[in-house]
Amino acid sequence: MASDQSIEETLFSKIIRKELPSDMLYQDDLVTAFRDISPRLPTHVLIVPNRHIPSVDDVTPEDEAAMGRMLSVARKIARDEGINDSGYRLIINCGEHGRQEVPHIHMHLLGGEDVGPMIVRKS
Ligand code: DGP
């Protein structure tokens, strides 16, 4: 019987398993980081848990280690990219109003130049 995870998984699971190509920067037992395919800034990296968690709304206490690791890996990659002093932004989109496109929770690490205002509201 197929597991729910295999039914719901996205292309990010295939990237994590290296079944799809990516510019992977980091991987350990809990998380994987790879460059976004459509970078909005000079540094645009996605940091994802290896376990398929669709969105922030699906995070459970058992995911806390992976969620914390995502932050420490963001710090490491920012330093590797040389943007820790200039600064950067971390974004996790959730659901329809958050404009989440890929239903595998992911943190965007964005930097390399001024990222602009936090939110530009529609007029
Ligand atoms: P979000 O809107 O937060 O769900 O962002 C999804 C991001 O995923 C978006 O910036 C583009 C990126 N993305 C989509 N497909 C691929 C892919 O196949 N490879 C890589 N590296 N990034 C992808």
Side-chain angles (χ1 to χ4, degrees):
M1 187 176 87
S3 71
D4 287 347
Q5 185 152 326
S6 67
I7 292 167
E8 296 170 2
E9 72 174 21
T10 71
L11 75 174
F12 286 179
S13 293
K14 292 188 170 66
I15 288 173
I16 291 162
R17 294 197 298 264
K18 301 179 178 161
E19 295 167 6
L20 279 178
S22 74
D23 190 351
M24 192 177 288
L25 302 178
Y26 181 87
Q27 186 166 56
D28 64 22
D29 57 322
L30 291 178
V31 306
T32 299
F34 50 92
R35 293 193 194 278
D36 194 289
I37 202 166
S38 306
R40 269 62 152 214
L41 285 176
T43 292
H44 188 172
V45 175
L46 302 176
I47 304 164
V48 309
N50 294 340
R51 188 174 100 77
H52 178 232
I53 305 164
S55 80
V56 171
D57 193 51
D58 300 295
V59 169
T60 66
E62 75 182 74
D63 300 317
E64 286 173 5
M67 297 300 103
R69 186 72 61 81
M70 285 165 68
L71 278 176
S72 58
V73 169
R75 174 184 182 272
K76 172 193 161 31
I77 291 174
R79 295 175 82 89
D80 290 348
E81 294 280 302
I83 61 170
N84 55 303
D85 283 338
S86 52
Y88 49 90
R89 182 169 292 162
L90 301 173
I91 298 174
I92 301 178
N93 296 321
C94 179
E96 184 182 350
H97 282 187
R99 302 277 189 113
Q100 181 181 2
E101 292 171 6
V102 178
H104 183 134
I105 192 169
H106 49 283
M107 176 185 286
H108 297 255
L109 166 58
L110 292 150
E113 60 186 52
D114 184 353
V115 303
M118 189 163 73
I119 294 175
V120 179
R121 294 194 65 86
K122 291 177 283 189
S123 54

